[in-house]
Amino acid sequence: MNNLSNHSPESFGSEVLSSNLLWQYVKSMSPETVAQLSKPTSPEVLQAIEHTIINMLGGLPSENFNVLITTNRDNLGRLLASAMMNGYFLRNAEQRMELEKSLQVVEADASDSQ
């Protein structure tokens, strides 16, 4: 697995990636947009993402154990995809919660003014 760092993502399954519209879309984004989309906006979402990944990999505390995980490229790709989907789900849930809170404030203000 050490030699994976010598390859670009495009070299892995290039025939699949070239026909993947989502991959093409992500490649067309500016680095600033990708950076903005990649960062959780709240500590709560970041903590939930970390907790999810720890649960996927196993819950041994790193301060007490020297944990080494080995896998193949396909399984690593699935893990990454799962972590990304969990991150998007958590971010969407956070946005929905914020929207609902905003609507409650607006409704409370509207009922107070009547």
Side-chain angles (χ1 to χ4, degrees):
M1 196 146 141
N2 293 337
N3 64 353
L4 293 180
S5 61
N6 298 333
H7 300 293
S8 68
E10 290 83 6
S11 66
F12 295 119
S14 58
E15 66 281 351
V16 174
L17 289 178
S18 64
S19 64
N20 187 321
L21 294 177
L22 177 60
W23 178 249
Q24 296 300 322
Y25 176 70
V26 170
K27 282 178 46 176
S28 72
M29 291 180 177
S30 70
E32 295 81 18
T33 302
V34 172
Q36 183 181 13
L37 292 173
S38 301
K39 291 181 187 174
T41 57
S42 71
E44 292 84 7
V45 169
L46 181 59
Q47 185 179 19
I49 292 170
E50 288 174 351
H51 182 71
T52 301
I53 292 172
I54 288 169
N55 283 337
M56 283 191 249
L57 296 177
L60 295 175
S62 60
E63 62 271 1
N64 297 327
F65 297 92
N66 186 12
V67 178
L68 176 64
I69 298 170
T70 58
T71 189
N72 62 32
R73 183 182 74 200
D74 291 337
N75 289 336
L76 183 61
R78 287 184 192 103
L79 176 65
L80 177 59
S82 179
M84 290 172 62
M85 293 305 296
N86 283 323
Y88 287 123
F89 169 77
L90 291 168
R91 178 63 180 131
N92 286 334
E94 180 185 47
Q95 288 176 326
R96 181 180 174 140
M97 181 181 71
E98 291 171 357
L99 179 61
E100 287 178 1
K101 285 181 183 178
S102 296
L103 290 174
Q104 289 173 352
V105 168
V106 169
E107 289 173 357
D109 289 346
S111 66
D112 289 344
S113 64
Q114 291 178 355

